[in-house]
Amino acid sequence: MSTTGQIIRCKAAVAWEAGKPLVMEEVEVAPPQKHEVRIKILFTSLCHTDVYFWEAKGQTPLFPRIFGHEAGGIVESIGEGVTDLAPGDHVLPIFTGECGDCRHCHSEESNMCDLLRINTERGGMIHDGESRFSIDGKPIYHFVGTSTFSEYTVVHSGQVAKINPEAPLDKVCIVSCGLSTGLGATLNVAKPKKGQSVAIFGLGAVGLAAAEGARIAGAGRIIGVDLNPKRFEEAKKFGVTEFVNPKDHEKPVQQVIAEMTDGGVDRSVECTGSVQAMIQAFECVHDGWGVAVLVGVPSKDDAFKSHPMNFLNERTLKGTFFGNYKPKTDIPGVVEKYMNKELDIEKFITHTVPFSEINKAFDYMLKGEGIRCIITMGA
């Protein structure tokens, strides 16, 4: 392309300080360096992780910053050493990566790349520690290596999944974070068998994706657990068959679920980050074969306890990161599930806003309205 090797000036939504509305600015985006690609972002989405770090609660604030990590776009140019991507490729930038060389990347069991696993504190690129974004010569920091709230962004090639060019980017952009996290937690880690019962704790976007995974797996009963009864009607679209609101019961939730299911569910997936929910999710699975999977991210100092007999009675507790999907190897296959009509993505998308109105997406999420809001970059 004619812009190869040159600085690109484009619009970006910049967070100048914590919790303040993003400001539309003209930024300069430097060309990609070694092992990097520059991507023209066409559609992006807002995830709760963006909001959490924008609010700067409980972590080192880093501003000014360009947030955004669920997105779809087209490769504009590539840096030195990039061999698996080319200008024109349709891609999803991803908040974690796959270098292909470390022990984790060589393991069939792990997706936690030593080089490129998520780093929320890094504001520059791995190659040289510098930012590729600037305004009047002053750097604007990156976020999780993606920074998709910009018309152009620079991403390490190990964090870029090349996908089917026929896939609509305004839909599959949400595959790059929350949807895959929940879907993979069920399909890749909990692995319910056809006809089994599954409890999902937390019916936000990730929990609904976990429920979708249970539906795809052919679960017989999918029990949704949430403190917000407004979420129950929406969750039916994702295969949830029964609902439990802990507020409606005097007994512990794990006891309620055990009574509903003749001793406990076969699988549970916890998507809240609450340690109380983690205990409930573990203790509500059936002895002998029950498997509980933790997805939600707890607070820094959290801890929970459960009696060792719960393990000795052959219950299994597992954790997962990004649904155990390897970004470059596996995410194209999740897109193919959508293309083959095995996976329904449209029902996750409840709002669409033009890029100029990106702050509306934050408003929807802060009010708890909808599941995913697509931000159209050209608008």
Side-chain angles (χ1 to χ4, degrees):
M1 294 189 183
S2 59
T3 48
T4 300
Q6 298 177 18
I7 288 170
I8 289 178
R9 288 175 180 80
C10 68
K11 283 185 198 162
V14 177
W16 287 100
E17 52 186 306
K20 294 288 172 70
L22 306 189
V23 181
M24 206 58 71
E25 304 279 8
E26 183 177 84
V27 298
E28 294 190 341
V29 185
Q33 302 301 304
K34 191 174 183 180
H35 300 310
E36 296 171 2
V37 299
R38 189 161 57 184
I39 301 168
K40 181 177 185 178
I41 299 293
L42 297 180
F43 299 95
T44 187
S45 173
L46 181 66
C47 167
H48 188 263
T49 305
D50 295 306
V51 175
Y52 179 77
F53 283 91
W54 165 74
E55 290 177 324
K57 290 179 178 173
Q59 75 278 15
T60 311
L62 191 59
F63 294 94
R65 205 169 200 184
I66 296 172
F67 288 101
H69 64 280
E70 279 191 359
I74 296 173
V75 174
E76 173 269 339
S77 60
I78 61 173
E80 179 194 337
V82 177
T83 56
D84 59 338
L85 294 161
D89 284 348
H90 285 223
V91 295
L92 304 180
I94 296 173
F95 66 91
T96 188
E98 184 181 351
C99 72
D101 296 322
C102 69
R103 286 184 304 165
H104 286 278
C105 288
H106 286 158
S107 164
E108 289 181 7
E109 298 177 55
S110 176
N111 64 344
M112 299 188 72
C113 174
D114 279 332
L115 180 69
L116 297 170
R117 77 172 65 169
I118 185 171
N119 183 328
T120 57
E121 294 185 4
R122 188 189 299 123
M125 298 299 288
I126 284 177
H127 174 60
D128 56 9
E130 300 293 319
S131 175
R132 303 289 174 258
F133 298 108
S134 61
I135 296 177
D136 298 329
K138 291 175 183 165
I140 308 294
Y141 296 114
H142 293 249
F143 178 62
V144 296
T146 52
S147 293
T148 61
F149 295 164
S150 173
E151 291 176 326
Y152 286 85
T153 189
V154 176
V155 182
H156 191 288
S157 64
Q159 290 182 240
V160 181
K162 180 181 173 181
I163 63 164
N164 184 341
E166 299 294 312
L169 290 170
D170 61 332
K171 305 288 191 296
V172 299
C173 62
I174 68 167
V175 167
S176 59
C177 179
L179 186 146
S180 295
T181 297
L183 187 76
T186 305
L187 293 178
N188 299 336
V189 188
K191 296 180 180 174
K193 297 181 175 73
K194 198 172 168 92
Q196 285 191 322
S197 57
V198 181
I200 309 289
F201 286 75
L203 297 174
V206 174
L208 292 172
E212 179 75 357
R215 184 193 68 76
I216 291 169
R221 294 172 74 181
I222 305 173
I223 301 168
V225 183
D226 203 292
L227 295 166
N228 181 358
K230 289 180 184 170
R231 288 178 159 176
F232 293 166
E233 199 56 43
E234 188 81 53
K236 289 178 184 174
K237 297 177 193 170
F238 298 83
V240 179
T241 54
E242 297 156 76
F243 301 95
V244 175
N245 184 340
K247 290 180 188 170
D248 295 343
H249 301 274
E250 289 181 8
K251 295 176 187 173
V253 170
Q254 50 271 55
Q255 200 177 327
V256 173
I257 291 173
E259 289 171 6
M260 287 169 68
T261 55
D262 191 24
V265 286
D266 302 302
R267 303 287 185 264
S268 71
V269 185
E270 185 285 319
C271 304
T272 71
S274 150
V275 286
Q276 195 176 359
M278 292 176 189
I279 296 164
Q280 293 164 350
F282 175 49
E283 294 183 354
C284 82
V285 298
H286 206 289
D287 58 4
W289 60 80
V291 178
V293 178
L294 305 186
V295 181
V297 179
S299 298
K300 193 172 62 160
D301 300 322
D302 278 344
F304 67 79
K305 63 180 184 178
S306 184
H307 199 281
M309 284 307 298
N310 288 319
F311 292 94
L312 295 171
N313 287 336
E314 299 179 3
R315 292 180 182 87
T316 301
L317 179 63
K318 291 183 170 187
T320 177
F321 168 67
F322 191 46
N324 277 42
Y325 286 118
K326 291 181 186 280
K328 292 177 80 75
T329 302
D330 298 331
I331 291 304
V334 179
V335 171
E336 289 310 306
K337 276 189 191 295
Y338 168 71
M339 296 301 281
N340 298 336
K341 297 187 165 49
E342 294 170 58
L343 170 65
D344 182 359
I345 287 177
E346 279 88 348
K347 60 192 175 190
F348 287 90
I349 299 166
T350 50
H351 297 86
T352 306
V353 297
F355 188 35
S356 58
E357 296 176 18
I358 189 170
N359 288 306
K360 274 190 183 173
F362 282 76
D363 293 340
Y364 291 138
M365 186 160 283
L366 291 168
K367 288 176 187 168
E369 292 176 13
I371 304 167
R372 274 295 182 265
C373 178
I374 302 296
I375 298 149
T376 305
M377 298 307 282

